Amino acid sequence: MKSMPRAGRRQILPALMPSNDLIQRPPGLAKDSTKSQAARNYSRMAADAFARAAVLAGVEERFYDIGDSTIALRFAGKALQPIVTPALEHLSSLHHAPDLRIELADRSSLGETLPRPTSATSVPLANLSYTDGEISAVVQRDLNTLNLFDAKNNHGYFWANDVASLPWYEAGFPLRLMFHLWFRRREQFFVHAAAVGNENGAALIVGKGGSGKSTTALACLEAGLAYLGDDYSLVKAEPEPRVWSLYCSAKVTDETLVRFPQLARFLKRRGTDVEKHLLFFDQKISMKKSLPVRAVLWPRITGRVESKLIPASAATLLLALAPSSILQLPGAGAADFQMLAKLLCRVPTYILEAGTDMAKLAATVKNCLE
């Protein structure tokens, strides 16, 4: 297969200058026409490469209802399917008129290494990012992946250099950067939060790793509450605070599996470098796609048996939710922060003193919803 001529690459790629963060250009600021044209050229080059991959490896298309959108995933070859699809299966859709179409390929199906946006600087960047408001490119150097989003044409491209080298945990929240770029344009935002609920609505459970977020969510699941997610959720503040499920996965430790032995049947992927593993839930448990948000809880492990809710200010909960939500996603910034602040000002917010009795912990969350 013929790849793009080297001269053409030199003309296009160095002009696609990244910034350290993917930040939307302020309204009224003139675009750099050279970079914008380079970005459009790069998007067309990626589209051509994926078209060739589709011919070489064949295409399988799957549809998912995520948030308020139907999203089509077009896989060139089969290598990425077991990485991407398990966490999304609960959102599988019969709708075949997508709002967003994402092409996925890897080097084995592409037959070549897709040229990447490059920087003129020799300073290494963790993520190589660019946007002109229409074309956004994010290269994750640690994962050797490319996320390319064309907002004008509602089209995305995801490419992985080496599927075998992707970390085990990527299967728990696949395509999060692509989804983030798409949904923030629709005023729906990724948050680093678990979500559980019942017919009354949902509780968002926030906090950094080790705060008790996942344990609380799994305790609620065991007690019969509906499960919407463990690590990432999709939220909107207006007109009514609402949360949507993104992934049917949960990251658990060996200790968690001992505490909740019934969940062992959902274990599908064991971590290789840490004592964490991935569960993928299915129709055997109660899952909800969306619920109105009724409360936001910040767990704190106390070591005591009993659990208790303590009213807290929206500003306090913002400290728990905003940093881990905004810093993990390129492009997240002022708009995301304002949305989170607005959400927290519109629902009750609590510190959840999480006790050791899991049944009482779940009952405390349930009582909050009622």
Side-chain angles (χ1 to χ4, degrees), residues 22-226:
L22 188 62
I23 302 173
Q24 295 291 344
R25 186 180 302 278
L29 183 63
K31 293 181 180 179
D32 183 322
S33 60
T34 302
K35 294 179 184 179
S36 296
Q37 186 58 50
R40 286 189 287 272
N41 290 345
Y42 188 85
S43 180
R44 285 193 290 269
M45 184 174 64
D48 291 343
F50 277 80
R52 295 194 300 271
V55 173
L56 278 177
V59 169
E60 183 172 338
E61 192 167 35
R62 300 193 183 189
F63 298 85
Y64 301 91
D65 289 330
I66 305 174
D68 65 355
S69 303
T70 297
I71 297 176
L73 303 184
R74 298 184 75 245
F75 293 91
K78 297 183 179 297
L80 279 168
Q81 291 188 38
I83 304 295
V84 173
T85 59
L88 299 172
E89 282 306 303
H90 66 304
L91 302 176
S92 182
S93 174
L94 297 176
H95 301 112
H96 288 181
D99 303 291
L100 170 68
R101 195 180 302 276
I102 302 175
E103 316 273 357
L104 302 97
D106 65 289
R107 186 166 57 182
S108 65
S109 60
L110 194 58
E112 60 187 85
T113 298
L114 188 67
R116 303 187 305 177
T118 58
S119 172
T121 176
S122 60
V123 178
L125 302 175
N127 290 298
L128 207 57
S129 308
Y130 167 87
T131 187
D132 65 359
E134 292 182 358
I135 303 295
S136 301
V138 182
V139 173
Q140 295 173 281
R141 283 183 165 174
D142 54 336
L143 304 181
N144 216 350
T145 60
L146 165 70
N147 295 265
L148 185 67
F149 175 58
D150 182 346
K152 183 178 180 180
N153 296 305
N154 300 331
H155 219 117
Y157 305 93
F158 177 83
W159 177 79
N161 181 51
D162 183 7
V163 173
S165 69
L166 290 174
W168 62 273
Y169 52 79
E170 280 298 301
F173 32 73
L175 299 178
R176 61 192 181 280
L177 295 186
M178 193 73 70
F179 293 156
H180 161 68
L181 292 170
W182 166 256
F183 282 110
R184 73 192 309 265
R185 300 179 68 88
R186 303 170 76 88
E187 296 186 347
Q188 298 170 39
F189 297 85
F190 264 57
V191 293
H192 185 219
V196 296
N198 56 23
E199 65 279 2
N200 297 317
L204 288 182
I205 306 168
V206 306
K208 63 182 182 179
S211 65
K213 174 168 53 69
S214 296
T215 298
T216 301
L218 294 175
C220 292
L221 172 62
E222 285 283 275
L225 273 73

